[in-house]
Amino acid sequence: MEWKLPAAVAEALRRLNDAGYAAYIVGGCVRDRAMGIPPHDWDICTAAAPDDMKKVFQGERTIETGVRHGTLTVVLGDEPLEITAFRRDGDYRDGRHPESVRFTSSIEEDLSRRDFTVNAMAYHPEEGIVDPFGGMDDLKRGIIRCVGAPEKRFGEDALRILRALRFSARLGFPIEENTARALVTMKNRLSLISRERIAAETEGILLGDHAADVLTQYGGVLSAALETEIPWSAVAPIVGGMPKKLPLRLAAALASLGTDGAEKVLRGLKVSRKLEEDTLTLVTWQDTVVTPDAMQYLLMRLGEENLRNLLDFSKVLGKLTEEAEKAASECLDKLLSENACHTLAQLAVHGDDVAALGAKGREIGEILQALLNRVTLGKLPNQKDALLREAARLMNEIKKTSKPQKHKTEGIEIL
Ligand code: ATP
Ligand code: MG
């Protein structure tokens, strides 16, 4: 069986071979290709050390991505290709990183350091598949199994614990018994892994087609990774039922922790500000039943993207029926197409109008916000006269009490 490889990949293998170096495609692309899934990137490995690779690809653009670890990126045509020297990892120092890496001329040795049998295969157009650990059998049976002794492999690098869960969630493969037992036993070693890596793997697990199965079975491992207890048996099917969008799946996983608990986990994971905010919005508003008459107000509070997410979220949580969600979506579409007021910029009065009534400093913003609340709640039309009248009334109240009340979070009874 010969696989059709992208021209740049075939070319890179040929050039390395012509210079006398063994070279293969390896890892995820072999796994995906063997399953009939189009690989999203093609990793090449070779007996050439980085300095030798530079000679082979002289005249091409190269990027020194990780020369210390044996990786050179070569741009052939428009394709950036990652080419890595066959490696053997030295002892692992901190539960994550090998003390040293040594280059080797043996593809088998390179494959033996890889995490799972299905990821430990290489392919060459003339040689076919190099598969010393039974990766093809495991792929056919659909099993995630460590290369070598699981305790040793998870002991070397605890990130592999979450990688096993991620591949299982993505491919729908159960984890082989010994590998499963070891990763559950060793889950506390995840404390050795950087928060960013934990976040990336957790996201991959949550977004998998088979996330619900993995969370049902291995939720305790993810709890150890997130350093938080979560009632996974109830939560797992809800996560799996969500559309495959990160804020929705994360919010489903963290909803039982409430806003403060979810915030603590997200901060701990150092996720982006936007992901944190989008996720927390869903956790905070999870019990809201979104009705058409509240829509304009919610659009103001949440923004379009988060409000659409909330509609999807509520539907999966069973708080909105299919029909109610459809009606709510249509109502939202209509508001947006009519350019219905939901931002301060759309309000028919602005700061200087309110300042002309004698408002100063913070009062100006508070009055404008109060007007926007009333407009989005349908209590006032977005017309200049009506808004100025209400602004003047609010100014009077401020003068009377001389101390304005604080803006309440519900945003309805402001001032
Ligand atoms: P994806 O489709 O998610 O990219 P992948 O299998 O390509 O899957 P990568 O993280 O890109 O995964 O890693 C490429 C290859 O490197 C893996 O297939 C595996 O052979 C090896 N590998 C990556 N991380 C580890 C690790 N922590 N321990 C051992 N081998 C690893
Ligand atoms: Mg990859």
Side-chain angles (χ1 to χ4, degrees):
M1 142 204 64
E2 192 168 332
W3 291 347
K4 197 167 158 38
L5 303 180
V9 174
E11 164 83 10
L13 295 180
R14 198 158 44 236
R15 286 218 217 164
L16 286 160
N17 291 163
D18 287 350
Y21 300 107
Y24 301 85
I25 60 167
V26 69
C29 62
V30 178
R31 176 198 67 223
D32 288 346
R33 185 64 188 69
M35 292 180 74
I37 301 171
H40 60 85
D41 44 33
W42 299 81
D43 293 324
I44 294 173
C45 63
T46 178
D51 285 342
D52 305 322
M53 293 180 212
K54 283 188 208 159
K55 281 183 207 135
V56 173
F57 295 103
Q58 213 157 33
E60 307 296 346
R61 227 180 110 208
T62 57
I63 308 164
E64 309 218 351
T65 24
V67 167
R68 227 163 46 88
H69 299 106
T71 304
L72 186 72
T73 299
V74 178
V75 187
L76 281 186
D78 290 329
E79 280 304 310
L81 291 175
E82 282 215 343
I83 307 182
T84 304
F86 295 158
R87 274 169 36 177
R88 208 176 82 188
D89 294 338
D91 290 340
Y92 283 73
R93 61 182 138 88
D94 55 2
R96 170 76 189 113
H97 301 98
E99 197 93 51
S100 59
V101 298
R102 249 171 301 158
F103 301 139
T104 156
S105 57
S106 156
I107 177 66
E108 282 80 11
E109 214 166 9
D110 181 274
L111 293 174
S112 73
R113 74 172 170 88
R114 293 175 183 270
D115 46 9
F116 307 110
T117 57
V118 293
N119 289 347
M121 295 185 281
Y123 170 86
H124 184 278
E126 278 145 40
E127 256 179 78
I129 291 182
V130 185
D131 177 20
F133 304 104
M136 265 308 194
D137 279 349
D138 285 345
L139 201 61
K140 284 192 194 123
R141 289 161 56 197
I143 287 178
I144 303 295
R145 180 202 309 271
C146 279
V147 171
E151 293 78 15
K152 176 163 178 289
R153 304 315 307 284
F154 294 135
E156 289 169 353
D157 177 1
L159 186 67
R160 292 170 187 155
I161 294 172
L162 289 186
R163 286 176 61 85
L165 266 45
R166 172 160 68 86
F167 289 117
S168 177
R170 190 201 302 175
L171 304 172
F173 291 4
I175 301 172
E176 177 274 333
E177 199 182 324
N178 293 316
T179 299
R181 193 177 323 112
L183 70 80
V184 170
T185 310
M186 297 176 79
K187 63 179 194 283
N188 290 335
R189 290 184 68 79
L190 287 167
S191 63
L192 299 169
I193 302 300
S194 81
R195 297 286 97 192
E196 289 85 347
R197 297 308 299 259
I198 298 264
E201 295 299 331
T202 299
E203 293 174 10
I205 294 166
L206 294 177
L207 289 176
D209 280 337
H210 306 270
D213 295 338
V214 168
L215 296 176
T216 300
Q217 206 171 347
Y218 301 103
V221 176
L222 206 60
S223 286
L226 303 179
E227 297 171 353
T228 312
E229 285 307 324
I230 290 171
W232 289 110
S233 54
V235 166
I238 299 174
V239 173
M242 287 293 162
K244 283 200 259 169
K245 284 167 85 178
L246 208 40
L248 288 153
R249 292 211 161 184
L250 260 177
L254 303 179
S256 68
L257 304 174
T259 306
D260 291 348
E263 181 174 12
K264 191 158 160 258
V265 172
L266 294 167
R267 291 265 161 95
L269 291 176
K270 302 186 183 168
V271 302
S272 74
R273 194 57 189 261
K274 173 158 168 52
L275 179 57
E276 179 186 319
E277 285 176 4
D278 292 354
T279 305
L280 288 179
T281 298
L282 295 174
V283 174
T284 304
W285 294 80
Q286 60 181 310
D287 292 322
T288 314
V289 179
V290 185
T291 53
D293 55 337
M295 194 65 71
Q296 195 171 348
Y297 177 74
L298 288 171
L299 179 59
M300 183 261 294
R301 291 296 302 266
L302 274 57
E304 181 188 350
E305 187 186 356
N306 280 326
L307 181 51
R308 289 198 190 278
N309 281 347
L310 182 62
L311 292 178
D312 285 337
F313 198 66
S314 304
K315 189 168 70 176
V316 179
L317 291 182
K319 298 207 190 290
L320 278 183
T321 63
E322 192 99 15
E323 300 86 76
E325 192 270 342
K326 195 158 166 274
S329 279
E330 282 168 9
C331 168
L332 176 56
D333 291 341
K334 185 156 171 284
L335 286 175
L336 288 164
S337 72
E338 287 168 350
N339 206 15
C341 176
H342 63 283
T343 60
L344 288 173
Q346 290 170 299
L347 210 54
V349 298
H350 299 288
D352 43 1
D353 301 313
V354 177
L357 298 173
K360 293 193 188 62
R362 276 185 46 202
E363 288 167 6
I364 298 174
E366 289 181 355
I367 289 176
L368 287 172
Q369 185 60 49
L371 295 176
L372 182 60
N373 291 342
R374 284 156 172 69
V375 169
T376 57
L377 287 166
K379 293 186 176 171
L380 270 182
N382 188 21
Q383 286 164 2
K384 194 160 183 174
D385 289 352
L387 294 180
L388 285 177
R389 238 175 291 129
E390 179 67 3
R393 195 185 67 74
L394 290 169
M395 274 305 297
N396 265 334
E397 276 190 24
I398 291 176
K399 276 193 205 122
K400 263 194 278 170
T401 54
S402 83
K403 211 172 127 217
Q405 282 173 23
K406 214 163 154 24
H407 185 130
K408 285 198 189 143
T409 45
E410 284 75 11
I412 300 171
E413 295 299 329
I414 283 185
L415 293 173

Short mmCIF file of all heavy atoms in Angstrom, two decimals, residues 26-29 31-32 40-41 43 89 92 96 111 113-116 118-121 153 157 159-160 163 166-167 170 197 201, ligand 1:
data_model
loop_
_atom_site.label_atom_id
_atom_site.label_comp_id
_atom_site.label_asym_id
_atom_site.label_seq_id
_atom_site.Cartn_x
_atom_site.Cartn_y
_atom_site.Cartn_z
N VAL A 26 6.09 10.40 10.72
CA VAL A 26 6.03 9.73 12.02
C VAL A 26 4.94 10.32 12.91
O VAL A 26 4.55 11.48 12.73
CB VAL A 26 7.41 9.84 12.72
CG1 VAL A 26 7.70 11.29 13.14
CG2 VAL A 26 7.54 8.90 13.90
N GLY A 27 4.46 9.52 13.85
CA GLY A 27 3.57 10.02 14.92
C GLY A 27 2.15 10.23 14.45
O GLY A 27 1.58 9.40 13.71
N GLY A 28 1.58 11.37 14.86
CA GLY A 28 0.16 11.63 14.64
C GLY A 28 -0.28 11.50 13.19
O GLY A 28 -1.39 11.01 12.91
N CYS A 29 0.57 11.92 12.25
CA CYS A 29 0.14 11.88 10.84
C CYS A 29 0.03 10.44 10.34
O CYS A 29 -0.83 10.13 9.51
CB CYS A 29 1.05 12.72 9.94
SG CYS A 29 2.76 12.21 9.87
N ARG A 31 -0.75 7.84 12.32
CA ARG A 31 -1.97 7.36 12.98
C ARG A 31 -3.21 7.83 12.21
O ARG A 31 -4.07 7.03 11.84
CB ARG A 31 -1.98 7.90 14.42
CG ARG A 31 -3.23 7.57 15.22
CD ARG A 31 -3.35 8.49 16.44
NE ARG A 31 -3.59 9.87 16.01
CZ ARG A 31 -3.00 10.93 16.53
NH1 ARG A 31 -2.12 10.81 17.51
NH2 ARG A 31 -3.28 12.14 16.08
N ASP A 32 -3.26 9.14 11.96
CA ASP A 32 -4.46 9.69 11.31
C ASP A 32 -4.63 9.12 9.91
O ASP A 32 -5.72 8.72 9.51
CB ASP A 32 -4.38 11.22 11.25
CG ASP A 32 -4.56 11.85 12.63
OD1 ASP A 32 -5.00 11.14 13.56
OD2 ASP A 32 -4.26 13.05 12.79
N HIS A 40 -3.46 16.79 10.18
CA HIS A 40 -3.42 18.27 10.16
C HIS A 40 -2.00 18.80 10.08
O HIS A 40 -1.79 19.95 9.73
CB HIS A 40 -4.20 18.89 11.32
CG HIS A 40 -3.69 18.49 12.66
ND1 HIS A 40 -2.65 19.14 13.26
CD2 HIS A 40 -4.05 17.49 13.49
CE1 HIS A 40 -2.41 18.57 14.43
NE2 HIS A 40 -3.23 17.56 14.59
N ASP A 41 -1.02 17.98 10.42
CA ASP A 41 0.35 18.34 10.05
C ASP A 41 1.18 17.08 9.91
O ASP A 41 0.80 16.01 10.37
CB ASP A 41 0.99 19.34 11.02
CG ASP A 41 0.73 18.99 12.46
OD1 ASP A 41 0.65 17.77 12.79
OD2 ASP A 41 0.62 19.91 13.27
N ASP A 43 4.73 15.32 10.47
CA ASP A 43 6.03 15.36 11.13
C ASP A 43 6.96 14.38 10.45
O ASP A 43 6.57 13.25 10.14
CB ASP A 43 5.88 15.01 12.61
CG ASP A 43 5.09 16.07 13.36
OD1 ASP A 43 5.24 17.26 13.02
OD2 ASP A 43 4.30 15.71 14.26
N ASP A 89 15.60 9.69 24.51
CA ASP A 89 15.59 10.60 25.65
C ASP A 89 16.45 10.04 26.76
O ASP A 89 16.46 8.84 27.00
CB ASP A 89 14.15 10.81 26.15
CG ASP A 89 13.31 11.55 25.10
OD1 ASP A 89 13.91 12.23 24.24
OD2 ASP A 89 12.07 11.44 25.14
N TYR A 92 14.62 11.29 32.94
CA TYR A 92 13.71 12.42 33.11
C TYR A 92 13.97 13.06 34.45
O TYR A 92 14.13 12.38 35.46
CB TYR A 92 12.27 11.94 32.99
CG TYR A 92 11.87 11.71 31.56
CD1 TYR A 92 12.35 10.62 30.83
CD2 TYR A 92 11.06 12.63 30.90
CE1 TYR A 92 12.01 10.43 29.51
CE2 TYR A 92 10.70 12.44 29.58
CZ TYR A 92 11.18 11.34 28.88
OH TYR A 92 10.84 11.17 27.57
N ARG A 96 8.64 15.58 33.74
CA ARG A 96 8.17 16.15 32.49
C ARG A 96 9.26 16.18 31.41
O ARG A 96 9.02 15.85 30.28
CB ARG A 96 7.61 17.56 32.75
CG ARG A 96 7.28 18.36 31.50
CD ARG A 96 5.99 17.90 30.85
NE ARG A 96 5.79 18.51 29.54
CZ ARG A 96 5.81 17.84 28.38
NH1 ARG A 96 6.01 16.56 28.37
NH2 ARG A 96 5.62 18.47 27.24
N LEU A 111 11.12 5.53 18.02
CA LEU A 111 9.71 5.18 18.25
C LEU A 111 9.49 4.72 19.70
O LEU A 111 8.43 4.93 20.26
CB LEU A 111 9.27 4.09 17.26
CG LEU A 111 9.21 4.55 15.79
CD1 LEU A 111 8.91 3.36 14.88
CD2 LEU A 111 8.18 5.66 15.58
N ARG A 113 10.57 5.94 22.43
CA ARG A 113 10.39 7.01 23.41
C ARG A 113 9.02 7.65 23.29
O ARG A 113 8.64 8.50 24.08
CB ARG A 113 11.46 8.08 23.22
CG ARG A 113 11.20 8.92 21.98
CD ARG A 113 12.10 10.13 21.82
NE ARG A 113 11.93 10.71 20.51
CZ ARG A 113 11.02 11.64 20.22
NH1 ARG A 113 10.20 12.09 21.12
NH2 ARG A 113 10.94 12.10 18.98
N ARG A 114 8.26 7.27 22.28
CA ARG A 114 6.97 7.91 22.04
C ARG A 114 5.91 7.36 22.99
O ARG A 114 6.07 6.29 23.56
CB ARG A 114 6.57 7.76 20.57
CG ARG A 114 7.55 8.56 19.70
CD ARG A 114 7.33 8.39 18.23
NE ARG A 114 8.36 9.15 17.51
CZ ARG A 114 8.23 10.42 17.13
NH1 ARG A 114 7.10 11.07 17.34
NH2 ARG A 114 9.21 11.04 16.51
N ASP A 115 4.81 8.10 23.15
CA ASP A 115 3.92 7.80 24.27
C ASP A 115 3.05 6.55 24.10
O ASP A 115 3.08 5.65 24.94
CB ASP A 115 3.07 9.03 24.64
CG ASP A 115 2.44 9.74 23.45
OD1 ASP A 115 2.51 9.21 22.32
OD2 ASP A 115 1.86 10.83 23.65
N PHE A 116 2.27 6.49 23.02
CA PHE A 116 1.31 5.39 22.88
C PHE A 116 1.59 4.62 21.59
O PHE A 116 2.10 5.19 20.63
CB PHE A 116 -0.12 5.94 22.90
CG PHE A 116 -0.36 6.81 24.11
CD1 PHE A 116 -0.53 8.19 24.00
CD2 PHE A 116 -0.33 6.24 25.38
CE1 PHE A 116 -0.67 8.99 25.12
CE2 PHE A 116 -0.48 7.03 26.51
CZ PHE A 116 -0.64 8.41 26.39
N VAL A 118 -0.22 3.71 19.19
CA VAL A 118 -0.80 4.27 17.96
C VAL A 118 -0.06 5.52 17.49
O VAL A 118 -0.20 5.93 16.34
CB VAL A 118 -2.32 4.59 18.13
CG1 VAL A 118 -3.12 3.32 18.32
CG2 VAL A 118 -2.56 5.58 19.26
N ASN A 119 0.75 6.11 18.40
CA ASN A 119 1.55 7.28 18.03
C ASN A 119 3.00 6.89 17.73
O ASN A 119 3.83 7.76 17.49
CB ASN A 119 1.58 8.30 19.19
CG ASN A 119 0.25 8.99 19.37
OD1 ASN A 119 -0.62 8.91 18.51
ND2 ASN A 119 0.09 9.67 20.49
N ALA A 120 3.31 5.63 17.81
CA ALA A 120 4.71 5.18 17.70
C ALA A 120 4.93 4.39 16.42
O ALA A 120 5.54 3.33 16.42
CB ALA A 120 5.08 4.35 18.93
N MET A 121 4.39 4.92 15.32
CA MET A 121 4.59 4.29 14.01
C MET A 121 5.19 5.31 13.06
O MET A 121 4.93 6.51 13.17
CB MET A 121 3.26 3.81 13.44
CG MET A 121 2.62 2.70 14.27
SD MET A 121 1.13 2.08 13.48
CE MET A 121 -0.06 3.33 13.92
N ARG A 153 6.47 5.02 32.04
CA ARG A 153 6.25 6.10 31.07
C ARG A 153 5.55 7.29 31.69
O ARG A 153 5.86 8.44 31.40
CB ARG A 153 5.46 5.58 29.86
CG ARG A 153 6.05 4.38 29.12
CD ARG A 153 7.55 4.49 28.86
NE ARG A 153 7.98 5.71 28.19
CZ ARG A 153 7.82 5.98 26.89
NH1 ARG A 153 7.25 5.09 26.10
NH2 ARG A 153 8.24 7.12 26.39
N ASP A 157 7.08 11.23 32.41
CA ASP A 157 6.41 12.45 31.94
C ASP A 157 4.91 12.34 32.25
O ASP A 157 4.18 11.61 31.58
CB ASP A 157 6.62 12.59 30.42
CG ASP A 157 5.91 13.79 29.84
OD1 ASP A 157 5.26 14.54 30.60
OD2 ASP A 157 6.00 14.00 28.61
N LEU A 159 2.61 14.41 31.82
CA LEU A 159 1.68 14.97 30.82
C LEU A 159 1.01 13.86 30.02
O LEU A 159 -0.12 13.99 29.56
CB LEU A 159 2.42 15.93 29.88
CG LEU A 159 1.49 16.68 28.90
CD1 LEU A 159 0.58 17.65 29.64
CD2 LEU A 159 2.30 17.43 27.84
N ARG A 160 1.72 12.74 29.88
CA ARG A 160 1.16 11.62 29.10
C ARG A 160 -0.15 11.12 29.69
O ARG A 160 -0.97 10.54 28.97
CB ARG A 160 2.18 10.47 29.05
CG ARG A 160 3.40 10.83 28.21
CD ARG A 160 4.52 9.80 28.36
NE ARG A 160 5.72 10.27 27.69
CZ ARG A 160 6.95 9.89 28.00
NH1 ARG A 160 7.14 9.02 28.99
NH2 ARG A 160 7.98 10.38 27.35
N ARG A 163 -2.60 13.21 28.03
CA ARG A 163 -2.59 12.91 26.59
C ARG A 163 -3.38 11.63 26.31
O ARG A 163 -4.11 11.55 25.32
CB ARG A 163 -1.14 12.77 26.07
CG ARG A 163 -0.42 14.12 25.95
CD ARG A 163 1.05 13.95 25.52
NE ARG A 163 1.24 13.31 24.24
CZ ARG A 163 1.22 13.92 23.05
NH1 ARG A 163 1.01 15.24 22.99
NH2 ARG A 163 1.42 13.26 21.93
N ARG A 166 -6.89 12.58 26.32
CA ARG A 166 -7.22 13.40 25.13
C ARG A 166 -7.40 12.51 23.89
O ARG A 166 -8.35 12.67 23.13
CB ARG A 166 -6.15 14.45 24.87
CG ARG A 166 -6.35 15.18 23.55
CD ARG A 166 -5.62 16.49 23.48
NE ARG A 166 -4.18 16.36 23.45
CZ ARG A 166 -3.46 16.17 22.35
NH1 ARG A 166 -4.04 16.05 21.17
NH2 ARG A 166 -2.14 16.10 22.42
N PHE A 167 -6.47 11.58 23.67
CA PHE A 167 -6.61 10.72 22.47
C PHE A 167 -7.84 9.83 22.61
O PHE A 167 -8.54 9.58 21.62
CB PHE A 167 -5.33 9.91 22.24
CG PHE A 167 -4.17 10.75 21.76
CD1 PHE A 167 -3.02 10.89 22.50
CD2 PHE A 167 -4.27 11.44 20.55
CE1 PHE A 167 -1.96 11.69 22.06
CE2 PHE A 167 -3.22 12.25 20.09
CZ PHE A 167 -2.07 12.37 20.86
N ARG A 170 -10.80 11.95 21.82
CA ARG A 170 -10.87 12.34 20.41
C ARG A 170 -11.24 11.15 19.52
O ARG A 170 -12.07 11.24 18.63
CB ARG A 170 -9.54 12.92 19.95
CG ARG A 170 -9.70 13.54 18.55
CD ARG A 170 -8.41 13.71 17.78
NE ARG A 170 -7.43 14.52 18.47
CZ ARG A 170 -6.20 14.70 17.99
NH1 ARG A 170 -5.83 14.16 16.85
NH2 ARG A 170 -5.34 15.43 18.67
N ARG A 197 0.12 23.72 30.10
CA ARG A 197 0.00 22.42 29.43
C ARG A 197 -1.26 21.69 29.90
O ARG A 197 -1.94 21.05 29.11
CB ARG A 197 1.24 21.54 29.69
CG ARG A 197 2.54 22.10 29.13
CD ARG A 197 2.43 22.46 27.66
NE ARG A 197 2.11 21.32 26.82
CZ ARG A 197 2.98 20.65 26.09
NH1 ARG A 197 4.24 21.02 26.07
NH2 ARG A 197 2.61 19.62 25.36
N GLU A 201 -4.30 20.46 27.33
CA GLU A 201 -4.79 19.07 27.27
C GLU A 201 -6.25 18.99 27.72
O GLU A 201 -7.05 18.26 27.14
CB GLU A 201 -3.92 18.14 28.12
CG GLU A 201 -2.48 17.99 27.61
CD GLU A 201 -2.38 17.40 26.19
OE1 GLU A 201 -3.27 16.64 25.79
OE2 GLU A 201 -1.41 17.73 25.49
P1 ATP B 1 -2.21 15.83 17.32
O1 ATP B 1 -3.09 15.38 16.21
O2 ATP B 1 -2.95 16.22 18.54
O3 ATP B 1 -1.15 16.81 16.93
P2 ATP B 1 -0.01 14.07 17.63
O4 ATP B 1 0.05 12.59 17.84
O5 ATP B 1 0.62 14.63 16.40
O6 ATP B 1 -1.51 14.47 17.76
P3 ATP B 1 1.74 15.83 19.06
O7 ATP B 1 1.58 16.41 20.42
O8 ATP B 1 1.74 16.74 17.89
O9 ATP B 1 0.63 14.71 18.92
O10 ATP B 1 3.08 14.98 19.09
C1 ATP B 1 3.62 14.36 17.95
C2 ATP B 1 4.17 12.99 18.32
O11 ATP B 1 5.23 13.13 19.25
C3 ATP B 1 3.16 12.05 18.99
O12 ATP B 1 2.41 11.34 18.04
C4 ATP B 1 4.07 11.14 19.79
O13 ATP B 1 4.65 10.17 18.98
C5 ATP B 1 5.18 12.08 20.23
N1 ATP B 1 4.94 12.74 21.53
C6 ATP B 1 4.41 13.96 21.75
N2 ATP B 1 4.36 14.27 23.05
C7 ATP B 1 4.90 13.20 23.70
C8 ATP B 1 5.17 12.90 25.07
N3 ATP B 1 4.83 13.75 26.03
N4 ATP B 1 5.74 11.72 25.35
C9 ATP B 1 6.09 10.84 24.37
N5 ATP B 1 5.85 11.07 23.09
C10 ATP B 1 5.27 12.23 22.72
#
